[in-house]
Amino acid sequence: MQDIALRTSQLAAWLAGTDIGLLELRTPEGTLRLGRQGDNIVELPAEEAEPEHSPIHAPSLGVFLHSHPLAAAPLVRIGQRVEAGQTLGLLKIGPLLLPVTAPQAGIVDGLRAADGLAVGFGAPLVDLLPL
């Protein structure tokens, strides 16, 4: 990053001659962000990346259930760590109960569909933060 820091003025001069609004250069040592403020090119602070939510979508239409009809406890709770393949909820299609499973390990960040809500194909059901 030291080499990049020495060339920041050269990069800023190059950026000033273009119509590019933001230049972000990532290296193993760090990130350099240059952007426009009026007519000037300034170094911007590095943004902290928010963890990517991975929504789990309904594989079919049906009624989304947080727990099995014969059990009182929900299958997962917000903040719970889950493993790949673990059941997050059930999709009731007539008499059939189809499991909605986690595609990867993660932490349940939110339940988007209420218990007993009729959902369509592809509806977001559960938010998962990948590990």
CSV table of all heavy atoms in Angstrom, one decimal, residues 8-32:
chain,number,residue,atom,x,y,z
A,8,THR,N,-0.6,8.3,-5.1
A,8,THR,CA,-1.9,8.8,-5.0
A,8,THR,C,-2.1,10.1,-5.8
A,8,THR,O,-3.1,10.3,-6.4
A,8,THR,CB,-2.3,9.0,-3.5
A,8,THR,OG1,-2.2,7.8,-2.8
A,8,THR,CG2,-3.7,9.6,-3.3
A,9,SER,N,-1.1,10.9,-5.8
A,9,SER,CA,-1.2,12.2,-6.5
A,9,SER,C,-1.3,11.9,-8.0
A,9,SER,O,-2.0,12.6,-8.8
A,9,SER,CB,-0.1,13.1,-6.2
A,9,SER,OG,1.2,12.5,-6.5
A,10,GLN,N,-0.6,10.9,-8.5
A,10,GLN,CA,-0.6,10.6,-9.9
A,10,GLN,C,-2.0,10.0,-10.3
A,10,GLN,O,-2.6,10.4,-11.3
A,10,GLN,CB,0.4,9.6,-10.3
A,10,GLN,CG,1.9,10.1,-10.2
A,10,GLN,CD,2.9,9.0,-10.4
A,10,GLN,OE1,2.6,7.8,-10.1
A,10,GLN,NE2,4.1,9.3,-10.9
A,11,LEU,N,-2.5,9.2,-9.4
A,11,LEU,CA,-3.9,8.6,-9.7
A,11,LEU,C,-4.9,9.7,-9.6
A,11,LEU,O,-5.9,9.7,-10.4
A,11,LEU,CB,-4.2,7.5,-8.6
A,11,LEU,CG,-3.4,6.2,-8.8
A,11,LEU,CD1,-3.6,5.3,-7.6
A,11,LEU,CD2,-3.8,5.5,-10.1
A,12,ALA,N,-4.8,10.7,-8.7
A,12,ALA,CA,-5.7,11.8,-8.6
A,12,ALA,C,-5.7,12.6,-9.8
A,12,ALA,O,-6.7,13.1,-10.4
A,12,ALA,CB,-5.5,12.6,-7.3
A,13,ALA,N,-4.5,12.9,-10.4
A,13,ALA,CA,-4.4,13.7,-11.6
A,13,ALA,C,-5.0,13.0,-12.8
A,13,ALA,O,-5.7,13.6,-13.6
A,13,ALA,CB,-2.9,14.0,-11.9
A,14,TRP,N,-4.8,11.7,-12.9
A,14,TRP,CA,-5.4,10.9,-13.9
A,14,TRP,C,-6.9,10.9,-13.8
A,14,TRP,O,-7.6,11.1,-14.8
A,14,TRP,CB,-4.9,9.4,-13.9
A,14,TRP,CG,-5.7,8.6,-14.8
A,14,TRP,CD1,-5.5,8.4,-16.1
A,14,TRP,CD2,-6.8,7.7,-14.5
A,14,TRP,NE1,-6.4,7.5,-16.7
A,14,TRP,CE2,-7.2,7.1,-15.6
A,14,TRP,CE3,-7.4,7.4,-13.3
A,14,TRP,CZ2,-8.3,6.2,-15.7
A,14,TRP,CZ3,-8.5,6.5,-13.3
A,14,TRP,CH2,-8.9,5.9,-14.5
A,15,LEU,N,-7.4,10.7,-12.6
A,15,LEU,CA,-8.9,10.7,-12.4
A,15,LEU,C,-9.5,12.0,-12.7
A,15,LEU,O,-10.6,12.1,-13.2
A,15,LEU,CB,-9.2,10.3,-10.9
A,15,LEU,CG,-10.6,10.1,-10.5
A,15,LEU,CD1,-11.2,8.9,-11.3
A,15,LEU,CD2,-10.7,9.8,-9.0
A,16,ALA,N,-8.8,13.1,-12.4
A,16,ALA,CA,-9.3,14.5,-12.8
A,16,ALA,C,-9.6,14.7,-14.2
A,16,ALA,O,-10.5,15.4,-14.7
A,16,ALA,CB,-8.4,15.6,-12.2
A,17,GLY,N,-8.8,14.0,-15.1
A,17,GLY,CA,-9.0,14.1,-16.5
A,17,GLY,C,-10.0,13.1,-17.1
A,17,GLY,O,-10.2,13.1,-18.3
A,18,THR,N,-10.8,12.4,-16.3
A,18,THR,CA,-11.8,11.5,-16.7
A,18,THR,C,-13.1,12.0,-16.2
A,18,THR,O,-13.2,13.0,-15.5
A,18,THR,CB,-11.5,10.1,-16.3
A,18,THR,OG1,-11.7,10.0,-14.8
A,18,THR,CG2,-10.1,9.6,-16.6
A,19,ASP,N,-14.2,11.3,-16.6
A,19,ASP,CA,-15.5,11.5,-16.0
A,19,ASP,C,-15.9,10.5,-15.0
A,19,ASP,O,-17.1,10.3,-14.6
A,19,ASP,CB,-16.6,11.6,-17.1
A,19,ASP,CG,-16.7,10.3,-17.9
A,19,ASP,OD1,-15.8,9.4,-17.8
A,19,ASP,OD2,-17.7,10.2,-18.7
A,20,ILE,N,-14.9,9.8,-14.5
A,20,ILE,CA,-15.1,8.7,-13.4
A,20,ILE,C,-15.4,9.4,-12.1
A,20,ILE,O,-14.6,10.3,-11.7
A,20,ILE,CB,-14.0,7.8,-13.4
A,20,ILE,CG1,-13.8,7.0,-14.7
A,20,ILE,CG2,-14.1,6.8,-12.2
A,20,ILE,CD1,-12.6,6.2,-14.8
A,21,GLY,N,-16.4,9.0,-11.4
A,21,GLY,CA,-16.7,9.7,-10.1
A,21,GLY,C,-16.0,9.1,-8.9
A,21,GLY,O,-15.8,9.7,-7.9
A,22,LEU,N,-15.7,7.8,-9.0
A,22,LEU,CA,-15.0,7.1,-7.9
A,22,LEU,C,-14.1,6.0,-8.4
A,22,LEU,O,-14.4,5.3,-9.3
A,22,LEU,CB,-16.1,6.4,-7.0
A,22,LEU,CG,-15.6,5.5,-5.9
A,22,LEU,CD1,-15.0,6.3,-4.8
A,22,LEU,CD2,-16.8,4.6,-5.3
A,23,LEU,N,-12.9,6.0,-7.8
A,23,LEU,CA,-11.9,5.0,-8.1
A,23,LEU,C,-11.6,4.3,-6.8
A,23,LEU,O,-11.2,4.9,-5.8
A,23,LEU,CB,-10.6,5.7,-8.6
A,23,LEU,CG,-9.4,4.7,-8.8
A,23,LEU,CD1,-9.6,3.8,-9.9
A,23,LEU,CD2,-8.1,5.5,-9.0
A,24,GLU,N,-11.7,3.0,-6.8
A,24,GLU,CA,-11.4,2.2,-5.6
A,24,GLU,C,-10.4,1.1,-6.0
A,24,GLU,O,-10.7,0.3,-6.9
A,24,GLU,CB,-12.7,1.5,-5.0
A,24,GLU,CG,-12.4,0.8,-3.8
A,24,GLU,CD,-13.7,0.3,-3.1
A,24,GLU,OE1,-14.4,1.1,-2.5
A,24,GLU,OE2,-14.1,-0.9,-3.3
A,25,LEU,N,-9.3,1.2,-5.3
A,25,LEU,CA,-8.2,0.2,-5.6
A,25,LEU,C,-8.0,-0.6,-4.4
A,25,LEU,O,-7.7,-0.1,-3.3
A,25,LEU,CB,-6.9,1.0,-5.9
A,25,LEU,CG,-5.7,0.2,-6.3
A,25,LEU,CD1,-5.9,-0.6,-7.5
A,25,LEU,CD2,-4.5,1.1,-6.5
A,26,ARG,N,-8.2,-1.9,-4.5
A,26,ARG,CA,-8.0,-2.9,-3.4
A,26,ARG,C,-6.8,-3.7,-3.6
A,26,ARG,O,-6.6,-4.3,-4.7
A,26,ARG,CB,-9.3,-3.8,-3.3
A,26,ARG,CG,-10.5,-3.0,-3.0
A,26,ARG,CD,-11.7,-4.0,-2.8
A,26,ARG,NE,-12.9,-3.2,-2.6
A,26,ARG,CZ,-14.0,-3.7,-2.3
A,26,ARG,NH1,-14.1,-5.1,-2.2
A,26,ARG,NH2,-15.1,-3.0,-2.1
A,27,THR,N,-6.0,-3.8,-2.5
A,27,THR,CA,-4.8,-4.7,-2.5
A,27,THR,C,-4.9,-5.5,-1.2
A,27,THR,O,-5.7,-5.2,-0.3
A,27,THR,CB,-3.5,-3.8,-2.5
A,27,THR,OG1,-3.4,-3.1,-1.3
A,27,THR,CG2,-3.5,-2.8,-3.7
A,28,PRO,N,-4.0,-6.5,-1.1
A,28,PRO,CA,-4.0,-7.3,0.1
A,28,PRO,C,-3.7,-6.4,1.4
A,28,PRO,O,-4.0,-6.7,2.5
A,28,PRO,CB,-2.9,-8.3,-0.1
A,28,PRO,CG,-2.9,-8.5,-1.6
A,28,PRO,CD,-3.2,-7.1,-2.1
A,29,GLU,N,-3.0,-5.3,1.1
A,29,GLU,CA,-2.6,-4.4,2.3
A,29,GLU,C,-3.7,-3.4,2.6
A,29,GLU,O,-3.6,-2.8,3.7
A,29,GLU,CB,-1.3,-3.6,1.9
A,29,GLU,CG,-0.1,-4.5,1.8
A,29,GLU,CD,0.0,-5.2,0.5
A,29,GLU,OE1,-0.4,-4.6,-0.6
A,29,GLU,OE2,0.5,-6.3,0.4
A,30,GLY,N,-4.6,-3.2,1.8
A,30,GLY,CA,-5.7,-2.2,2.1
A,30,GLY,C,-6.4,-1.7,0.9
A,30,GLY,O,-6.2,-2.2,-0.2
A,31,THR,N,-7.2,-0.6,1.1
A,31,THR,CA,-8.0,-0.1,0.0
A,31,THR,C,-7.8,1.4,-0.1
A,31,THR,O,-7.7,2.1,0.9
A,31,THR,CB,-9.5,-0.3,0.3
A,31,THR,OG1,-9.7,-1.7,0.5
A,31,THR,CG2,-10.4,0.2,-0.8
A,32,LEU,N,-7.6,1.9,-1.3
A,32,LEU,CA,-7.5,3.3,-1.6
A,32,LEU,C,-8.8,3.7,-2.4
A,32,LEU,O,-9.1,3.1,-3.4
A,32,LEU,CB,-6.3,3.6,-2.4
A,32,LEU,CG,-6.1,5.0,-3.0
A,32,LEU,CD1,-5.9,6.0,-1.8
A,32,LEU,CD2,-5.0,5.1,-4.0
